[in-house]
Structure formats: C-alpha cells, structure tokens
Amino acid sequence: MILQEVVLCATAPQASGSGSGAIILHDVQTGTSLASFKQSSSAPHCTSFVETRDGQGGFILAAQQDKSILNVYNFQKDQLAFKIVLPERLSCIALDNAGSFCAGGTAQGRIYLWEVASGILYNSWDAHYRHINVLKFTHDGAALISGSDDSGVSVWSVARLVDDDTQNELPTPYCTLSDHTLPVKDIVCGLGAFPTCRVLTASLDHSVKLWDLSSQSLLTTFHFPKPILSAVWDITERLFFAASPDGSIYQVNLFRQRTEKHAGQTIEAVGGAGVSDIIRIANEDSNSRKRLISVDQPITVLTISLTSSLLLVGTATGFIHIYDIASHQLLRTISTHKGMSISYLTTMLKPPDLVGHISLSLNLGSSADAKDIIPMRPVVPFHRMKDSKAREAHEVAMMLPVQDETPGGIPSDYDYPEAEFQRDYAFFVQPNAIGTSEASSARVAKLEAEVENLREQLGKAKGINDVMWETVVQKVMTQEKQKTVVEGQNTIVPGEGEAGDGVERPRKKSKIRSK
C-alpha cells in the first residue's frame, strides 16, 4: 500500500455569511478534493479526529458552533453517522491520540471528560472562570492542557480525573502556567511522555511561551510585534511558526549556529534562561534572513505537513495556502472553500477505508464493504450527567508513566553515563567536534615540540652568553693589572726630591770657574 498524505480541513460560515460548512479531505500535492462530510459548522478548536489504525476504522468529531450538538463521522461513509446531544454548547474539544477520551470546554470555563467507547462522563468541573479557547492532550494521553480567556493555562492529570477515589473532590491541576496577561488562543504539545514533554502557549499579549512540564517552569518568552492567534511546532522541535490575525506569520528557530575560534561551528539552543529570558522577534533574524510570511488575509489556523517540509495556512476567507518551509515560497493555494472560513486544518495519512478511495490492499469482494474488513472504532453517545453505577461497573485501562528510580534518586530514564553523553553530544550537537579534537591534539603536540626546541636554543644562548661574559671580565681585569704596573714604574720614591715631597725636580748643573 502506498502511503499518501492528505489535508483534513473543516469550514464554517463567515461572521457575516450564512449556510453550512463541511469537513473535507484534499490531496496535499494537487489540492484535489477526495471526500466531503457535510452538515457541519464548527468553530476553531472544535474539530478532532482519530486515524484508522490497529485494525479499527477512524472517526471525526465536530462540535457545532450554534448548538449543543456533537456530530460524529467515520471515514467509510460520507454521511453523518449520528449526533450526540451534549450537556451544553462546547467552545472547544480534544481527543487523545488513542481515541480513548474526549474532552470538551465551555464558554463558562467548565470542562467535561468522556470515555469515547462507553460514553461515560468521568468528570466535569469548573476549570477556569472565563471562556475556554483550547484543549490539548499530551501525545501519550496522560495529561490534558486547557487555555482560557482568563490568561491561564492549566495542566490536568487524566489518571486523577478518572480515579474513582477523587470523584467527590474538586479536581486540582498538576500545575498552572500563569505568565500570560491576555487570553490564551493556542496550545502546542511537544513529543515525549508526560511530564517530560514541553509545551508552547500562544496569547493575544503578543507572546508565545515555552514551558517545561517536568519542572513546571517557564523556559523562554518569545515576544512578537502583533497578537498571536495560532502556532504550530515542527515535529523535531527545531522551529515553530506563530500567526497573527492580520496575516503575518513568523518563523522562530529554536537552534542557532555559533562560530567559535578553536571549536569551529557549533549548534546551541535558543533561550532557556527562565522568566527573565525574553526574545524579541522581528521581521528578519540576526543574519538578515526574512522570517516573516505575509498572507494578506486573516489567518485562522496553521499546520505543518508530516514531512515537516510544508506549512499550511488556513484563512478566514476560505483559502488554504501551502508554503515551502525552507524557502517560504507559495507552492499552491486551495481555493475550493472561498467564501467560508477555515476553522480546522491538519494533515494525515490517507485512510485505507476512505469512502470512494478504498485501498486495493483490503481485498474486498464485489459485495463486501470496508466495515467488514476494518470494523468501526466504537463511539457511543456521551452521557450528559455523571452516573456512579455506570462508573462502578466499568473499568478504565490507562498506561501510566514509568516512575522507577535509581538508588541515587534519579529516574532511570535519565541514567545516562557521562562518557556516553559526551560522545553523543559531540556526534549529534557538535558534528565537527571529533575532527576538531584530533586537530587540537596535533596542534598541542606541535606546540610542545616547539617549546622543547626553544628551551634547547635558550640553553645554548645562555652558554654563549656565559662564555662572552667570562672573556670580557678576564680582559678587563688583565688591562687593569697592566695599567697598574706601568704607573708604578713612573713613580719617584719619597726623599729623593726636595723636602721629601716625592716630586721629581731637575738637577742643577755645577759651574767650573778658572782662576
């Protein structure tokens, strides 16, 4: 079977428009419509889905924006499967990756948590005091994260929410992320098991904040020139995009290259200094590379393709723009939904049981149906009230995070030998470090040889200097001795002169007179 990536989008009438929206699948390469599920008008963050996998067919849930109804679709039929009547109108919904639990938030700040297969309402509580904008499960489904107009972000442990022993208690969050000052509009969960994953939160206060759930701390704040409505994170967590309502999209790289004199080029993470670490994002980065994509249309949602090579942008005018991430070049535009608003946008692998595109690998006979080969994943109408008897008769199976610890108190997941860590760090983070280390060793050996040679030359120079000094001293002393001897020979002994003054005087000549 050939794997094909498709675009899943949901549309809704514009604020001034009328009519009904739909849920549509497009070919990401050509933009061709593959399937359409009608009679649905969902607001942003009000659509969610589970893929077809593990021998069970996937499904789509869409909370209607004007009524307390949840539409249920499956990929094997292009018609509405059934409707679920909800306790109240939902402002956002979320499904965990396994399709086990569905969470719904309301405009009054309340959260509901249902089990999809049984419909049991496991919990409902007042999580925020204002409108809940977004709900997201972590990738392992162990935690639920909520963002609200009250500027708060709360992290909830799903295990505690479904625990029978805590049903009579008001749920308390695992932690509260409270550094935003205006409504939180989007949440993006990084890869990894809870609580070792990281989280991005986008707000109208012009910021996107990066959080570490294990330490319950703020790592970095990215400040933008405009309010942020939507964000999307590359699966490798190397970069993310943030969009403002006016059509501006900013690319933020979370790693950068740094050139060092002796180590060459190294790659280092950006930020991470905590609350005081604020990185201001401009239209261009430090290398004058353009980081801004201008769409010139109000943006409603962003997503990145499975290959992390394409950025998909949904607008309030019904267009889906597809950009190449590396060059920021617009590759194509899907304009089929012009006049509507794109409220949901994501990419997925084409379902093998998609209506009208059944995979030949299923080997269906002429009279067989896709559901005979791939049975539908069970979805039951949700309860509108808590039912203690139904809860007691039903068991919940959850995969809890491993909490084993070593004798030193450090979790086994972090038992990383220092030598192995340094080797992996040099290989992955500093690819030039191995060659640089060898070059450094050769240079050290060369410098040591030069030092030894200089010491030898210094010894020779010192010997020559000593000989020269000795020669000069001997010569000076000999000259002094000779000078002393000469002066001694020219000196008159005292008493031979007049008055014994030791001064040589000429002798008088005697005259002979004749008589």
Side-chain angles (χ1 to χ4, degrees), residues 261-281:
K261 185 175 182 180
H262 300 294
Q265 286 190 343
T266 61
I267 299 176
E268 63 178 3
V270 173
V275 177
S276 61
D277 187 12
I278 300 177
I279 299 177
R280 301 191 180 276
I281 307 300

Side-chain angles (χ1 to χ4, degrees), residues 303-501:
T303 193
I304 291 179
S305 65
L306 298 178
T307 59
S308 295
S309 60
L310 303 177
L311 173 67
L312 288 80
V313 181
T315 70
T317 55
F319 291 95
I320 300 176
H321 301 290
I322 302 178
Y323 292 88
D324 176 66
I325 290 180
S327 63
H328 290 184
Q329 181 181 358
L330 177 62
L331 301 179
R332 69 190 63 88
T333 298
I334 301 175
S335 57
T336 311
H337 317 296
K338 183 178 180 181
M340 304 295 285
S341 176
I342 306 298
S343 60
Y344 181 78
L345 186 64
T346 190
T347 62
M348 60 183 292
L349 292 178
K350 180 181 176 181
D353 58 342
L354 181 62
V355 57
H357 301 269
I358 304 299
S359 174
L360 297 177
S361 63
L362 296 180
N363 296 322
L364 297 177
S366 58
S367 61
D369 197 355
K371 65 182 179 181
D372 298 330
I373 304 299
I374 303 181
M376 287 300 307
R377 192 180 299 270
V379 181
V380 176
F382 296 162
H383 297 181
R384 290 190 286 175
M385 298 181 63
K386 287 185 178 181
D387 188 344
S388 58
K389 293 183 179 180
R391 285 181 52 85
E392 292 173 358
H394 187 72
E395 294 184 355
V396 178
M398 288 194 65
M399 184 68 70
L400 298 178
V402 178
Q403 299 294 337
D404 294 338
E405 295 189 355
T406 59
I410 302 176
S412 58
D413 290 346
Y414 297 94
D415 187 11
Y416 204 170
E418 179 67 20
E420 184 178 353
F421 170 78
Q422 293 294 345
R423 185 178 68 252
D424 293 344
Y425 177 82
F427 183 79
F428 290 104
V429 182
Q430 292 182 313
N432 296 326
I434 298 177
T436 303
S437 177
E438 295 176 355
S440 299
S441 300
R443 181 168 177 79
V444 168
K446 183 178 179 181
L447 291 174
E448 289 179 348
E450 290 181 0
V451 169
E452 188 64 28
N453 184 38
L454 290 174
R455 286 178 177 173
E456 183 180 351
Q457 296 296 330
L458 179 62
K460 292 181 179 180
K462 185 177 180 182
I464 294 173
N465 183 71
D466 291 342
V467 173
M468 293 177 63
W469 175 258
E470 184 71 20
T471 302
V472 170
V473 170
Q474 292 294 336
K475 185 176 181 180
V476 171
M477 292 181 65
T478 301
Q479 290 177 352
E480 288 294 331
K481 288 181 179 179
Q482 293 176 352
K483 184 177 181 181
T484 302
V485 172
V486 171
E487 290 179 350
Q489 292 177 351
N490 296 329
T491 302
I492 299 176
V493 178
E496 293 184 353
E498 296 180 359
D501 55 4

Side-chain angles (χ1 to χ4, degrees), residues 116-411:
V116 175
S118 65
I120 295 176
L121 177 60
Y122 271 96
N123 220 320
S124 63
W125 71 101
D126 293 323
H128 297 269
Y129 62 87
R130 294 189 65 183
H131 188 285
I132 298 179
N133 295 313
V134 56
L135 291 172
K136 290 291 179 68
F137 282 95
T138 54
H139 279 264
D140 60 353
L144 174 68
I145 307 176
S146 58
S148 168
D149 274 354
D150 61 11
S151 75
V153 177
S154 297
V155 182
W156 311 88
S157 170
V158 175
R160 289 186 57 83
L161 295 176
V162 301
D163 189 357
D164 287 332
D165 296 336
T166 60
Q167 289 305 302
N168 296 325
E169 303 174 7
L170 180 66
T172 56
Y174 165 81
C175 66
T176 300
L177 312 177
S178 56
D179 200 65
H180 285 293
T181 57
L182 289 177
V184 176
K185 289 296 186 178
D186 204 1
I187 296 173
V188 187
C189 296
L191 292 178
F194 172 78
T196 60
C197 55
R198 299 185 299 173
V199 173
L200 284 176
T201 57
S203 170
L204 296 181
D205 61 6
H206 295 226
S207 73
V208 172
K209 296 182 182 291
L210 177 61
W211 308 85
D212 177 50
L213 295 187
S214 59
S215 60
Q216 304 178 16
S217 62
L218 173 63
L219 297 179
T220 307
T221 297
F222 301 91
H223 191 272
F224 297 84
K226 300 175 182 178
I228 301 301
L229 188 66
S230 179
V232 63
W233 207 350
D234 172 67
I235 193 171
T236 62
E237 300 184 10
R238 300 172 305 160
L239 57 89
F240 71 87
F241 290 90
S244 59
D246 69 341
S248 300
I249 305 174
Y250 299 89
Q251 176 180 334
V252 180
N253 297 323
L254 298 180
F255 291 87
R256 63 188 172 197
Q257 284 189 346
R258 185 178 63 180
T259 302
E260 297 181 351
K261 185 175 182 180
H262 300 294
Q265 286 190 343
T266 61
I267 299 176
E268 63 178 3
V270 173
V275 177
S276 61
D277 187 12
I278 300 177
I279 299 177
R280 301 191 180 276
I281 307 300
N283 294 347
E284 295 181 351
D285 61 13
S286 57
N287 296 323
S288 298
R289 289 191 297 248
K290 190 173 182 180
R291 68 165 90 225
L292 174 66
I293 300 176
S294 297
V295 180
D296 297 329
Q297 297 170 8
I299 296 175
T300 55
V301 62
L302 299 176
T303 193
I304 291 179
S305 65
L306 298 178
T307 59
S308 295
S309 60
L310 303 177
L311 173 67
L312 288 80
V313 181
T315 70
T317 55
F319 291 95
I320 300 176
H321 301 290
I322 302 178
Y323 292 88
D324 176 66
I325 290 180
S327 63
H328 290 184
Q329 181 181 358
L330 177 62
L331 301 179
R332 69 190 63 88
T333 298
I334 301 175
S335 57
T336 311
H337 317 296
K338 183 178 180 181
M340 304 295 285
S341 176
I342 306 298
S343 60
Y344 181 78
L345 186 64
T346 190
T347 62
M348 60 183 292
L349 292 178
K350 180 181 176 181
D353 58 342
L354 181 62
V355 57
H357 301 269
I358 304 299
S359 174
L360 297 177
S361 63
L362 296 180
N363 296 322
L364 297 177
S366 58
S367 61
D369 197 355
K371 65 182 179 181
D372 298 330
I373 304 299
I374 303 181
M376 287 300 307
R377 192 180 299 270
V379 181
V380 176
F382 296 162
H383 297 181
R384 290 190 286 175
M385 298 181 63
K386 287 185 178 181
D387 188 344
S388 58
K389 293 183 179 180
R391 285 181 52 85
E392 292 173 358
H394 187 72
E395 294 184 355
V396 178
M398 288 194 65
M399 184 68 70
L400 298 178
V402 178
Q403 299 294 337
D404 294 338
E405 295 189 355
T406 59
I410 302 176

Side-chain angles (χ1 to χ4, degrees), residues 92-111:
C92 56
I93 65 171
L95 283 165
D96 65 345
N97 285 338
S100 301
F101 294 97
C102 176
T106 70
Q108 288 72 38
R110 193 170 185 82
I111 296 179

